[in-house]
């Protein structure tokens, strides 16, 4: 078991600053379908503030998510540590983004390791299915060769886990990209099998590190620090069963993980301009 109070002095995070067959690679899909992250908005402030104020207690190990809402929550967490209303908090960053935000906010950090006890974690979702609370993550631009796999591991390790989403992200119809992390070796065979699996419903594109996107990943395909590629399985119409899609993708040889969170208990903190709602799988709880 990793110590709950140990604080790192060095970190792995770099803290800076219509179907188209993949075999033929023709045409263009708007990049907005591939990478889509909610922009920072004022309505996230109250939702992020409530998430920290209600669920983070003294002495907790807290998983820190990635995205606009999580960034605001991390900033508010740092503010409360500075004014003394919270103490003895250790944050577990899920990405370069969250590590940077936490360092700037003065939140003590530790790296994620198997077996670490996380009391509470929060994260953004790109989109969340109304009622089931299944969510998609990983559409955001990945920095420094990271992937969203660690975000899922932190969520699964937490005793309590919350998604902070905008009202329009909490929807009955989910379409667009389902990110999939795959092994680099024989990646094209993996992509073709996924392409065949969702024939007529989705297009499969390898994500580029930068530059223009195309089905093969452009001139500079993204390679994570773990040596993996990221595919965007882009559904052009609403997904009928998100859980079934997750299970089908998992069974494909060469798949490491995907951006669907469907089997981790969670609740939603839903932000709108007029109110914040807390919703679990059975009811509105606040």
């Amino acid at each position: 078991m990793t110590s709950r109070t140990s604080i790192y002095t060095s970190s792995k995070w770099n803290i800076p600053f219509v179907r188209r067959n993949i075999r033929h690679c023709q045409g263009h899909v708007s990049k907005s379908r591939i990478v889509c992250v909610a922009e920072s908005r004022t309505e996230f402030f109250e939702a992020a503030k409530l998430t920290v104020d209600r669920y983070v207690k003294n002495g907790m190990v807290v998983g820190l998510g990635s995205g606009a809402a999580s960034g605001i929550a991390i900033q508010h967490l740092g503010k409360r540590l500075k004014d003394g209303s919270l103490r003895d908090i250790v944050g577990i960053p899920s990405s370069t983004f969250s590590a940077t935000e936490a360092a700037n906010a003065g939140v003590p950090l530790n790296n994620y390791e198997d077996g670490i006890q996380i009391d509470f974690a929060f994260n953004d979702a790109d989109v969340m299915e109304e009622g089931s609370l299944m969510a998609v993550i990983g559409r955001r631009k990945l920095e420094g060769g990271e992937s969203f796999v660690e975000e899922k591991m932190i969520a699964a390790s937490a005793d309590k886990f919350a998604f902070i989403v905008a009202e329009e992200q909490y929807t009955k119809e989910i379409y667009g990209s389902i990110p999939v992390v795959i092994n680099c070796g024989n990646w094209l065979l993996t992509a073709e099998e996924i392409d065949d699996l969702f024939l007529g419903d989705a297009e499969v594109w390898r994500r580029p590190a930068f530059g223009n996107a195309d089905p093969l990943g452009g001139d500079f395909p993204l390679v994570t620090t773990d040596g993996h590629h990221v595919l965007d399985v882009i559904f052009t119409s609403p997904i009928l069963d998100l859980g079934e899609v997750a299970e089908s993708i998992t069974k494909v040889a060469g798949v490491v993980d995907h951006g669907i969170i469907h089997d981790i208990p969670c609740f939603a903190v839903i932000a709108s301009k007029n109110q914040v709602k807390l919703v679990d799988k059975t009811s509105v709880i606040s």
Side-chain angles (χ1 to χ4, degrees):
M1 177 79 64
T2 301
S3 169
R4 292 162 56 84
T5 57
S6 61
I7 301 173
Y8 81 110
T9 55
S10 62
S11 173
K12 70 176 182 176
W13 299 109
N14 177 24
I15 303 176
F17 53 35
V18 173
R19 174 184 193 256
R20 186 166 294 106
N21 194 315
I22 193 167
R23 300 169 179 83
H24 301 296
C25 310
Q26 300 172 3
H28 174 74
V29 172
S30 168
K31 286 190 289 183
S32 64
R33 287 187 183 176
I34 297 177
V35 180
C36 177
V37 178
E39 297 178 356
S40 181
R41 289 167 296 197
T42 55
E43 63 260 36
F44 274 142
F45 176 77
E46 292 301 327
K49 181 175 180 292
L50 182 147
T51 301
V52 172
D53 291 346
R54 180 170 294 198
Y55 296 104
V56 179
K57 309 298 180 185
N58 292 336
M60 278 190 169
V61 175
V62 181
L64 308 177
S66 302
S70 293
I72 295 170
I74 293 167
Q75 292 165 18
H76 183 64
L77 178 60
K79 180 180 178 182
R80 290 201 54 193
L81 286 169
K82 288 176 182 176
D83 68 22
S85 59
L86 277 176
R87 62 183 185 276
D88 301 326
I89 299 297
V90 176
I92 309 296
S94 61
S95 65
T96 300
F97 170 85
S98 55
T100 302
E101 289 293 321
N104 290 339
V107 178
L109 297 176
N110 199 355
N111 289 325
Y112 174 82
E113 296 178 9
D114 288 341
I116 193 169
Q117 182 178 346
I118 299 175
D119 300 294
F120 175 65
F122 56 82
N123 201 3
D124 287 47
D126 297 308
V127 64
M128 178 172 248
E129 187 173 69
E130 184 177 331
S132 73
L133 300 192
M134 290 187 284
V136 177
I137 65 171
R139 293 181 181 179
R140 66 185 176 85
K141 183 178 180 180
L142 302 174
E143 301 178 52
E146 66 193 8
S147 77
F148 53 84
V149 172
E150 192 147 318
E151 293 179 50
K152 290 186 70 173
M153 292 191 294
I154 288 173
S157 300
D159 291 340
K160 187 181 287 288
F161 176 61
F163 276 118
I164 310 172
V165 296
E167 194 170 39
E168 60 267 27
Q169 294 171 296
Y170 185 67
T171 178
K172 292 181 179 179
E173 294 187 341
I174 291 181
Y175 56 92
S177 169
I178 303 297
V180 181
V181 177
I182 63 169
N183 291 322
C184 284
N186 296 321
W187 78 269
L188 188 57
L189 293 178
T190 302
E192 288 174 348
E193 185 172 346
I194 295 173
D195 194 50
D196 290 339
L197 191 63
F198 303 113
L199 186 65
D201 295 320
E203 303 174 15
V204 179
W205 289 47
R206 184 167 59 159
R207 190 177 296 187
F210 53 87
N212 293 328
D214 68 30
L216 295 180
D219 294 330
F220 304 98
L222 176 65
V223 180
T224 72
T225 52
D226 294 323
H228 299 136
H229 289 313
V230 178
L231 301 179
D232 286 287
V233 184
I234 307 165
F235 286 81
T236 54
S237 58
I239 298 170
L240 298 180
D241 190 328
L242 195 59
E244 184 178 323
V245 168
E247 292 173 4
S248 297
I249 291 174
T250 299
K251 294 175 183 177
V252 175
V255 168
V256 176
D257 209 340
H258 53 73
I260 300 173
I261 294 183
H262 67 110
D263 55 0
I264 298 174
C266 66
F267 63 95
V269 184
I270 303 172
S272 69
K273 292 182 178 179
N274 299 317
Q275 64 177 337
V276 177
K277 291 192 297 184
L278 299 176
V279 179
D280 65 13
K281 284 192 176 182
T282 59
S283 63
V284 176
I285 55 179
S286 161

